[in-house]
Amino acid sequence: MLGFSIFPEVSGMPHTEREELTPKESNQLLLPGGHPPMWNHMDSIGPIGLPHREGVPGCSQEGLPYPSNSSELVLECLQQFKVTGTQLQQIQASLLDSMEQALGGQASPASAVRMLPTYVGSIPHGTEQGDFVVLELGATGASLRVLWVTLMGTGGHRMEPRSQEFVIPPEVMLGPGQQLFDFAAHCLSEFLDALPVGKQGLQLGFSFSFPCHQTGLDRSTLISWTKGFRCSGVEGHDVVQLLRDAIKRHGAYNIDVVAVVNDTVGTMMGCEPGVGPCEVGLVVDTGTNACYMEEARHVAVLDEDRGRVCVSVEWGSFGDDGVLGPMLTIFDHALDRESLNPGAQRFEKMIGGLYLGELVRLVLVHLAQRGVLFGGCTSPALLSRGSILLEHVAEMEDPWAGAARVHALLQDLGLNVGASDVELVQYVCAAVFTRAARLCAAALAAVLSRLQHSREQQILQIAVATGGRVFEQHPSFLSILQETVMLLTPECDVSFIPSVDGGGRGVAMVTAVAARLAAHRHLLEETLAPFQLNHEQLAAVQAQMREAMVKGLRGEASSLRMLPTYVRATPDGSERGDFLALDLGGTNFRVLLVRVTAEGVKITNQIYSIPENVAQGSGQQGILLNWTKGFSASDCEGQDIVCLLREAIGRRQAVELNVVAIVNDTVGTMMSCGYEDPRCEVGLIVGTGTNACYMEELRNVAAVAGDSGQMCINMEWGAFGDDGSLGLLRTCFDASVDQASINPGKQSFEKMISGMYLGEIVRHILLHLTSLGVLFRGQQTQRLQTRDIFKTKFLSEIESDSLALRQVRAILEDLGLSLTSDDALMVLEVCQAVSQRAAQLCGAGVAAVVEKIRENRGLEELTVSIGVDGTLYKLHPHFSSLVAATVRELAPRCVVTFLQSEDGSGKGAALVTAVACRLAQMARV
């Protein structure tokens, strides 16, 4: 149950005489002095503008009984403005539902709120600097403001903006649209004429505070006029283009309209640096609106998966579908009938500064005509629309103004002010303002609830920027708003930050942020351009690998060793028996017992971790050519590792074993998948390291005698490019990673593809971008300087489609990186560029292999399967699809199926042994 008081403390109404209201206690209001009112039915109160057939003109009807207790009747009338806690919760829930429907694209044309994307995708981070021009139209009613804003960046002193305000004539507000924009261009030139601008190009931010459909940061179509404007030929047109055309017609200055922003977005963006991220803007001025930073993936119209975008709620139209009906008073109905847009902007007409004074006037007229105020007399001024303005109400409601000021304001309206009238008029002003503040709070609570839910945070800590004359002229409006928001959203920790200069600085900040993002985007694209490989580059890699394969098979100098494995066949399904497999690779050593039966393959295994002192100690384990993947055990390179293993088994004297075959993981992967698919003739590993093998025609293998049959060739393609053939594709980041590795100048292809190195490549790119000021506000962190801190598994996690940007940020924050949403997006792009290049290079290598097999066999089209293993290939969300796409592009005459191996190295080693035993048995027979 929520409790609310009807009135804030006002002059003549002590705090002790205000009572808290709950829905059950809605009729227990006490009058000053503690006496309960004598309630009448609401319909006993006469209509607004009661006709006067006789008596003194402007005074109550002759014979109408004057009440003995005026305050009682005033408070009874003002009960219409009371909004219960239950009603506020209903508004919060209804607005939230409308917001979510509109975000999801489910809203009808008459939707309560529009949820318009503003294409502002980033909030300031304090480094923005430069000179900017701002043109504000519609933010302050019938006026136009031009500002010159200088932003000094981090550490710079704040410079006050220069500004000039121009009153818009009524005939311009209601005339042709071209006339309005020509007037704006004229005001712009007049303002700039007084500044030493010269012919320099100027960047302009256009604050246009009307409901618009934005399709870009500098493209915005007016949906409908509000706030008393009704210019023809503008609705349905791009207001930025209309302004550009007007500036061009005027021809005095070189002005680029960079961004169009409403005053609400400007308010949010104008928060002073240092107060934390401000991601909600709230304006209550002539009209009212809110904006906030929404996850882009939730905005259906954008079709974006990443990042955030500022959404303008456009909540002024909330209630146009009738949901506010029970809360509308007779005065709201009268105001709406007399407005320029009857039936529209119903919520705004209960909150916006353009209407609060008019609501107060209508109530005062009603009470005067009922004989409650001013001796039962009105005045021509009181009966005139617009005679009581927002500033008048603020002064009358202000307890510090004193009774004398209220008395003077009422006398200026030609009213005969009685002794009790001042206090009762303050009651009226308090009731109208309090309702407005509470309704605004319920709407803001809906926005905060949306943010808390979408970001999945138990406690949402957020700053709300406030702007507009209602906040500026009526301090108690904010305090009532805060109190109500706390009651409606106890799970939100909200701080309210007043706008510095009515949003003008914020509009300049939008323009500055756009300029910063454009500059950073250029630097990011320039940095990542070498990783974007085109078809010609990939085809060249394919051709170079094909050439290196042929040279290696002939025994000529080549970066590809093309080693015979003496595996002459793949499984045919007839293999049977029990086999022991030993798997050494990466960081573990496995012992497997593999049983091959007619029903399939059954594996029992034990895993042992390899200590670093063993991996890099002496090596008592074909002939090892060289270590990779972090191994550097001595006395192994150049040795027959089968002999080393047999000797080690002999030293143990625990079991009698026959070492039948030695197999690397790549061959094992091919054989493992070959047991399931007889068309599998290629093995591929993309994990800690990378390699490939395939079934080559024996006649092409110079190192092995014989012309018939096939043999599996271990390509050892990780060393491809060690002869410099990949030099044109090698970046400075690849060079840095290579130089810091344990084997500089070796395994060039592997260092551009495999999991051991991709994280390091990303880390070096991030360091470079930070040095340019593109990332992390240019602040270097010690954690990022640490080698191998950025694991390749982070690429897989960051690029996962299932992760929201919030989760991406969490991964990076766990590394000690303090970052914004923009930083997270750029880190994502870096990861995507590095992993895409790796996958494409891998695909180019595969294309070379399958094309070689096809040409070996003289086929028009080859159908082949590839057995694949490795954590990078299996766990990265896009690597496998990028490899397949590249193969299709480069080898269109090959139909390739990729099979993920299950325990390729262990099961495959056993199957190689099984095939060897089968072939040996066949030979004996």
Side-chain angles (χ1 to χ4, degrees):
M1 187 68 71
L2 295 174
F4 298 94
S5 59
I6 288 191
F7 306 117
E9 188 167 349
V10 294
S11 176
M13 190 176 181
H15 176 78
T16 56
E17 295 175 359
R18 299 200 316 273
E19 295 293 322
E20 289 295 304
L21 286 180
T22 68
K24 291 183 178 179
E25 300 166 332
S26 58
N27 289 334
Q28 295 180 5
L29 177 68
L30 299 181
L31 299 174
H35 303 293
M38 297 175 60
W39 299 108
N40 296 317
H41 293 294
M42 196 59 74
D43 56 11
S44 67
I45 299 177
I48 296 176
L50 191 71
H52 309 297
R53 294 187 294 273
E54 48 192 341
V56 180
C59 293
S60 63
Q61 192 173 356
E62 186 178 357
L64 185 70
Y66 283 86
S68 58
N69 191 337
S70 297
S71 62
E72 180 178 317
L73 284 180
V74 169
L75 292 177
E76 180 183 351
C77 172
L78 296 182
Q79 279 294 306
Q80 296 178 79
F81 288 91
K82 178 178 68 63
V83 185
T84 68
T86 299
Q87 287 175 317
L88 290 172
Q89 289 172 323
Q90 290 170 345
I91 290 173
Q92 179 185 2
S94 179
L95 182 58
L96 179 58
D97 183 61
S98 296
M99 289 169 61
E100 291 176 345
Q101 286 190 40
L103 283 173
Q106 304 167 2
S108 65
S111 176
V113 294
R114 293 191 175 96
M115 304 301 289
L116 304 175
T118 67
Y119 293 85
V120 172
S122 176
I123 59 175
H125 61 35
T127 62
E128 293 78 12
Q129 54 188 316
D131 295 320
F132 303 92
V133 181
V134 174
L135 175 64
E136 289 184 344
L137 179 60
T140 54
S143 65
L144 176 149
R145 189 165 71 132
V146 185
L147 302 92
W148 179 275
V149 181
T150 299
L151 302 175
M152 302 298 293
T154 304
H157 66 282
R158 186 176 180 277
M159 295 183 64
E160 290 298 320
R162 303 181 187 182
S163 67
Q164 185 175 350
E165 194 160 349
F166 301 86
V167 176
I168 304 175
E171 63 272 17
V172 174
M173 292 176 64
L174 303 175
Q178 182 172 322
Q179 184 181 14
L180 173 65
F181 286 95
D182 282 341
F183 177 79
H186 171 78
C187 296
L188 193 58
S189 294
E190 184 177 322
F191 172 78
L192 294 173
D193 286 345
L195 299 175
V197 175
K199 296 298 182 181
Q200 71 181 75
L202 302 173
Q203 293 182 310
L204 182 141
F206 184 22
S207 173
F208 188 75
S209 302
F210 302 92
C212 290
H213 174 60
Q214 228 168 319
T215 55
L217 191 59
D218 62 347
R219 297 188 303 276
S220 188
T221 301
L222 177 64
I223 296 172
S224 60
W225 286 114
T226 57
K227 308 176 185 179
F229 283 76
R230 200 160 57 185
C231 296
S232 61
V234 181
E235 293 179 347
H237 294 272
D238 181 0
V239 295
V240 175
Q241 192 57 51
L242 292 173
L243 177 61
R244 284 173 173 155
D245 292 343
I247 293 172
K248 188 176 180 180
R249 283 194 296 272
H250 207 268
Y253 291 95
N254 177 21
I255 299 174
D256 178 23
V257 184
V258 174
V260 58
V261 186
N262 64 26
D263 55 342
T264 319
V265 179
T267 295
M268 181 189 77
M269 296 290 283
C271 276
E272 285 288 347
V275 297
C278 180
E279 297 186 279
V280 180
L282 170 61
V283 166
V284 189
D285 197 276
T286 310
T288 181
N289 192 21
C291 68
Y292 71 99
M293 297 301 292
E294 175 63 81
E295 303 297 318
R297 70 184 187 277
H298 294 149
V299 185
V301 70
L302 292 181
D303 194 27
E304 287 284 341
D305 293 330
R306 302 286 184 177
R308 292 176 179 165
V309 65
C310 180
V311 170
S312 179
V313 180
E314 297 296 334
W315 70 22
S317 59
F318 177 62
D320 290 0
D321 55 1
V323 71
L324 293 174
M327 283 157 269
L328 294 172
T329 69
I330 56 175
F331 311 108
D332 294 307
H333 289 298
L335 182 148
D336 182 59
R337 285 194 301 270
E338 297 172 4
S339 69
L340 288 172
N341 52 352
Q345 300 295 108
R346 297 309 297 264
F347 194 60
E348 182 169 272
K349 288 171 183 174
M350 302 170 81
I351 296 177
L354 183 65
Y355 307 100
L356 295 181
E358 186 64 8
L359 280 173
V360 168
R361 184 188 72 82
L362 291 170
V363 176
L364 296 184
V365 168
H366 173 81
L367 293 173
Q369 292 175 342
R370 300 301 297 165
V372 178
L373 291 176
F374 317 131
C377 297
T378 61
S379 69
L382 184 64
L383 294 173
S384 301
R385 281 179 57 194
S387 59
I388 297 182
L389 303 176
L390 172 66
E391 50 266 32
H392 299 147
V393 181
E395 282 191 75
M396 291 190 289
E397 201 272 341
D398 184 2
W400 303 106
R405 181 57 184 150
V406 180
H407 196 279
L409 286 170
L410 295 172
Q411 279 192 323
D412 288 345
L413 292 172
L415 296 169
N416 181 21
V417 184
S420 64
D421 288 343
V422 169
E423 183 181 45
L424 296 177
V425 168
Q426 286 184 314
Y427 281 12
V428 171
C429 295
V432 171
F433 263 85
T434 299
R435 183 187 72 162
R438 295 242 163 93
L439 291 174
C440 187
L444 178 59
V447 172
L448 297 173
S449 297
R450 170 67 198 166
L451 278 169
Q452 194 239 350
H453 172 72
S454 65
R455 299 187 184 178
E456 302 174 16
Q457 296 179 356
Q458 289 188 339
I459 298 295
L460 176 71
Q461 291 186 314
I462 199 159
V464 176
T466 60
R469 289 177 298 164
V470 172
F471 285 109
E472 295 164 6
Q473 299 177 9
H474 196 287
S476 63
F477 188 94
L478 178 58
S479 62
I480 300 167
L481 177 84
Q482 286 176 302
E483 173 193 351
T484 311
V485 167
M486 286 175 61
L487 290 166
L488 290 171
T489 56
E491 69 282 357
C492 298
D493 179 12
V494 187
S495 56
F496 291 86
I497 304 167
S499 172
V500 177
D501 57 12
R505 182 176 182 275
V507 178
M509 191 62 75
V510 172
T511 310
V513 168
R516 169 175 62 81
L517 291 178
H520 287 181
R521 167 59 49 186
H522 174 73
L523 290 172
L524 178 66
E525 291 176 352
E526 189 175 66
T527 300
L528 298 182
F531 292 86
Q532 317 294 330
L533 305 182
N534 58 36
H535 178 85
E536 289 71 25
Q537 289 172 306
L538 292 171
V541 172
Q542 178 186 12
Q544 288 169 341
M545 181 166 282
R546 175 65 182 280
E547 182 181 355
M549 290 170 69
V550 171
K551 287 183 177 179
L553 288 170
R554 292 173 180 166
E556 299 173 6
S558 172
S559 60
L560 292 179
R561 292 191 172 95
M562 304 301 287
L563 304 173
T565 67
Y566 297 88
V567 173
R568 296 173 178 268
T570 56
D572 65 3
S574 67
E575 292 80 10
R576 300 289 183 271
D578 291 340
F579 305 92
L580 193 65
L582 306 181
D583 175 22
L584 172 64
T587 57
N588 295 320
F589 181 76
R590 294 191 304 153
V591 180
L592 306 94
L593 179 62
V594 181
R595 175 163 293 174
V596 183
T597 67
E599 287 72 35
V601 178
K602 182 179 179 181
I603 300 176
T604 304
N605 72 85
Q606 182 75 41
I607 301 176
Y608 301 89
S609 294
I610 303 174
E612 185 174 347
N613 64 324
V614 173
Q616 298 182 3
S618 66
Q620 297 182 348
Q621 277 155 343
I623 296 174
L624 177 64
L625 296 179
N626 59 275
W627 285 115
T628 59
K629 307 179 186 177
F631 280 79
S632 59
S634 62
D635 304 323
C636 290
E637 294 185 356
Q639 299 297 312
D640 184 338
I641 57 177
V642 173
C643 289
L644 292 177
L645 178 60
R646 283 176 175 152
E647 291 170 3
I649 293 171
R651 286 192 297 272
R652 295 290 296 179
Q653 295 182 346
V655 64
E656 184 177 342
L657 294 174
N658 179 25
V659 183
V660 174
I662 178 171
V663 184
N664 68 17
D665 53 355
T666 319
V667 178
T669 295
M670 180 188 75
M671 298 295 280
S672 175
C673 292
Y675 186 78
E676 309 295 335
D677 181 353
R679 294 179 302 182
C680 183
E681 298 184 80
V682 181
L684 173 65
I685 297 288
V686 193
T688 307
T690 183
N691 193 16
C693 68
Y694 72 102
M695 298 302 293
E696 177 60 81
E697 302 303 312
L698 190 58
R699 66 178 183 275
N700 295 330
V701 184
V704 180
D707 291 329
S708 63
Q710 298 174 342
M711 179 171 287
C712 178
I713 296 296
N714 171 19
M715 296 178 66
E716 290 296 336
W717 79 1
F720 175 56
D722 286 0
D723 58 357
S725 56
L726 291 177
L728 293 178
L729 301 183
R730 201 163 181 251
T731 69
C732 61
F733 311 109
D734 296 305
S736 297
V737 170
D738 177 56
Q739 194 60 39
S741 69
I742 62 174
N743 55 351
K746 298 181 179 180
Q747 300 297 105
S748 300
F749 198 54
E750 182 169 89
K751 288 173 181 173
M752 301 171 83
I753 291 179
S754 72
M756 176 168 279
Y757 304 100
L758 297 191
E760 268 297 278
I761 296 173
V762 168
R763 186 180 70 85
H764 280 278
I765 296 173
L766 300 186
L767 285 171
H768 173 71
L769 292 173
T770 305
S771 71
L772 296 177
V774 174
L775 283 176
F776 316 130
R777 298 182 176 89
Q779 300 170 359
Q780 297 281 1
T781 64
Q782 189 59 43
R783 291 294 298 276
L784 201 56
Q785 304 279 350
T786 307
R787 182 181 168 189
D788 293 326
I789 192 69
F790 202 97
K791 305 295 183 184
T792 297
K793 70 172 185 177
F794 295 149
L795 277 74
S796 299
E797 294 173 357
I798 287 171
E799 294 184 61
S800 172
D801 294 330
S802 63
L803 286 193
L805 190 63
R806 174 186 58 81
Q807 294 162 301
V808 173
R809 289 184 64 176
I811 292 170
L812 298 172
E813 285 167 353
D814 285 344
L815 295 176
L817 301 176
S818 177
L819 71 165
T820 65
S821 295
D822 294 327
D823 291 333
L825 280 172
M826 285 190 277
V827 171
L828 169 65
E829 288 192 51
V830 171
C831 293
Q832 287 173 330
V834 171
S835 59
Q836 177 174 290
R837 183 190 69 163
Q840 288 179 319
L841 288 174
C842 183
V846 172
V849 171
V850 295
E851 273 292 298
K852 178 77 164 64
I853 295 174
R854 185 187 67 81
E855 293 182 12
N856 282 346
R857 300 177 187 176
L859 298 175
E860 282 296 315
E861 182 177 275
L862 171 70
T863 298
V864 67
S865 296
I866 299 177
V868 193
D869 204 351
T871 52
L872 180 59
Y873 184 92
K874 288 184 173 181
L875 299 182
H876 190 282
H878 307 297
F879 196 95
S880 59
S881 60
L882 287 168
V883 171
T886 306
V887 173
R888 286 193 300 270
E889 178 184 346
L890 297 177
R893 298 167 71 181
C894 298
V895 179
V896 180
T897 301
F898 290 86
L899 306 172
Q900 290 198 18
S901 169
E902 295 181 11
D903 194 13
S905 52
K907 176 182 171 182
L911 287 169
V912 169
T913 306
V915 170
C917 291
R918 172 173 62 83
L919 294 178
Q921 186 177 15
M922 289 174 62
R924 285 196 298 270
V925 171

